[in-house]
Amino acid sequence: LSNVVPKQRRGHYLGLRMVLMSMVLIVAGGGVARILHETGSPFPVLATLILVGSAAGIAGYIVLSRTPMPEASLQSRYSPRDLLRCLGHKPFRRFLVFAVLINLPFAFACAWYAAFFLEEVHLTRQQIWGYGIAYGLIRLTMLWPVGLLVDRFGTRVGLRAMVTMYAVFFGMFVFFEQATFPLVVIAYSVAGMGDAIFAVAIPSALFHAVPEGRTRAAYFAFERVTIL
């Protein structure tokens, strides 16, 4: 992806890519919520998701196997020793520290959201679906404009705005009660804007931090393993 997307318009293309992915997310999320509402059981839904996900993975492999790769990608080779050298590149090291810090709160929170809203705030499934759709729509509408803004003003401004929005999002959890469901929707709308910036600015910053050359892929592998 870093070799295919033009450097001058990374935000534009990354934003458009995430718009398409978000549309799929909204349709799939709405479909899952509808099936859950009709059946009342998560097991048929989970089985369907596993089958659909497997089919999508196979289809993606078939599409990519027939797609011509850029010359830079074909020439990219690295060894385990190259992975160890990644931290020696200062821009990449700084990016990695930032990426870990910004992902760390969500590593704790993502496993906690569902239990919190069901057991503490006592939201219904329809309400959870509702704030999820609000989040998805806000994220969808923001992605392409964010991409254009990143191209014009750079990633640093976008990342500062993103960090502020995430701080506001987590801070609003203190005030959630069943009677303040609209506040939950507002909070997830703020998170949707932050995630829109994340989806465009973080990959753009990573592409910028990784040096050109034969071992370029090693940096992407190191970053993925670290975040996971």
Side-chain angles (χ1 to χ4, degrees):
L1 184 62
S2 68
N3 291 323
V4 172
V5 174
K7 293 181 180 180
Q8 296 80 6
R9 304 193 69 194
R10 279 176 177 162
H12 170 84
Y13 284 99
L14 290 171
L16 177 59
R17 171 176 175 264
M18 292 308 300
V19 164
L20 298 175
M21 292 178 67
S22 294
M23 290 173 66
V24 173
L25 179 65
I26 291 172
V27 172
V32 167
R34 184 66 181 172
I35 296 171
L36 272 174
H37 179 66
E38 300 250 346
T39 64
S41 172
F43 297 106
V45 181
L46 180 60
T48 303
L49 285 175
I50 292 173
L51 290 174
V52 171
S54 300
I58 293 169
Y61 176 80
I62 293 172
V63 170
L64 283 177
S65 67
R66 299 170 182 269
T67 302
M69 298 296 287
E71 191 63 29
S73 298
L74 294 174
Q75 294 176 355
S76 180
R77 297 288 186 275
Y78 66 92
S79 66
R81 185 177 297 178
D82 294 320
L83 286 171
L84 298 176
R85 294 171 180 164
C86 289
L87 291 177
H89 187 65
K90 186 176 180 180
F92 176 75
R93 188 169 65 244
R94 292 180 63 187
F95 168 83
L96 199 64
V97 170
F98 175 79
V100 168
L101 289 174
I102 205 67
N103 278 277
L104 191 59
F106 295 97
F108 291 103
C110 286
W112 172 71
Y113 288 147
F116 175 78
F117 285 120
L118 288 171
E119 297 178 10
E120 300 294 332
V121 187
H122 305 293
L123 296 186
T124 65
R125 288 175 176 174
Q126 286 81 2
Q127 286 176 321
I128 291 176
W129 174 68
Y131 79 66
I133 293 298
Y135 162 86
L137 289 173
I138 291 292
R139 187 172 183 265
L140 178 63
T141 55
M142 290 290 296
L143 278 166
W144 209 344
V146 164
L148 299 177
L149 290 173
V150 165
D151 285 339
R152 182 169 183 178
F153 298 107
T155 58
R156 191 180 299 271
V157 174
L159 293 174
R160 286 173 178 165
M162 176 194 74
V163 170
T164 303
M165 290 174 186
Y166 284 157
V168 171
F169 169 67
F170 281 119
M172 293 176 76
F173 271 71
V174 178
F175 306 102
F176 289 164
E177 297 173 2
Q178 188 173 16
T180 59
F181 173 67
L183 189 62
V184 177
V185 176
I186 293 171
Y188 268 85
S189 298
V190 173
M193 290 187 282
D195 281 357
I197 300 173
F198 183 99
V200 176
I202 289 289
S204 181
L206 174 61
F207 295 168
H208 181 73
V210 171
E212 300 288 344
R214 177 185 60 83
T215 61
R216 185 172 171 84
Y219 290 85
F220 294 115
F222 193 97
E223 185 267 346
R224 281 294 82 200
V225 169
T226 301
I227 297 303
L228 289 173

